[in-house]
């Protein structure tokens, strides 16, 4: 991958653009928190060629939600489970909406 390829991927929510230190700084948390949510399997950072953790913007949003719950007194394991369930619910709602739109476009008179 060339430098130009990396630059083009910065708009990709799943591109692991952030080091652990930068991710912790952006979230206003510690690197230990990021390790803990990794151990709880909330997020699995990718690794650089040198073995360093790298985070995507999507992972940072997930981590920020977990931090919000922990900051309000939720134990980290429970916060991780809540965030996983919220993410699953959002995905199910998105799929349902797609199915609904497909059904309505296939049979427009039934929607009326």
């Amino acid at each position: 991958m060339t430098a130009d390829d990396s630059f083009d991927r910065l708009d990709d929510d799943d591109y692991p653009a952030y080091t652990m230190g930068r991710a912790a700084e952006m979230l206003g948390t510690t690197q230990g928190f990021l390790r803990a949510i990794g151990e709880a399997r909330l997020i699995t950072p990718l690794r650089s060629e040198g073995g360093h953790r790298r985070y995507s913007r999507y992972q940072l949003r997930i981590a920020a939600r977990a931090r919000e719950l922990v900051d309000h007194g939720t134990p980290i394991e429970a916060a991780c489970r809540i965030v996983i369930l919220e993410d699953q619910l959002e995905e199910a709602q998105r799929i349902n909406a797609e199915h609904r739109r497909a059904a309505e476009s296939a049979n427009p008179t039934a929607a009326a």
Side-chain angles (χ1 to χ4, degrees):
M1 181 179 293
T2 66
D4 288 336
D5 292 337
S6 295
F7 184 74
D8 290 342
R9 302 230 23 223
L10 290 177
D11 287 337
D12 182 351
D13 262 2
D14 296 318
Y15 182 66
Y18 304 98
T19 64
M20 177 180 268
R22 180 68 179 129
E25 180 183 316
M26 290 170 69
L27 295 170
T29 190
T30 65
Q31 293 181 15
F33 176 79
L34 292 172
R35 283 188 206 95
I37 62 174
E39 290 168 10
R41 298 183 186 260
L42 177 60
I43 58 175
T44 303
L46 292 167
R47 299 283 181 151
S48 68
E49 290 180 16
H52 301 282
R53 290 173 179 89
R54 305 285 294 195
Y55 298 89
S56 69
R57 287 189 308 206
Y58 172 76
Q59 289 173 322
L60 294 182
R61 283 194 302 273
I62 296 291
R65 176 65 180 134
R67 179 175 183 246
E68 179 183 335
L69 291 167
V70 169
D71 286 351
H72 286 96
T74 305
I76 196 160
E77 296 82 13
C80 290
R81 185 67 182 139
I82 290 167
V83 173
I84 288 167
L85 291 170
E86 288 174 343
D87 199 47
Q88 289 172 344
L89 176 61
E90 183 179 323
E91 178 67 7
Q93 289 172 332
R94 184 191 62 75
I95 291 169
N96 285 342
E98 285 177 10
H99 288 298
R100 198 173 300 113
R101 281 191 297 275
E104 288 172 357
S105 66
N107 190 5
T109 57

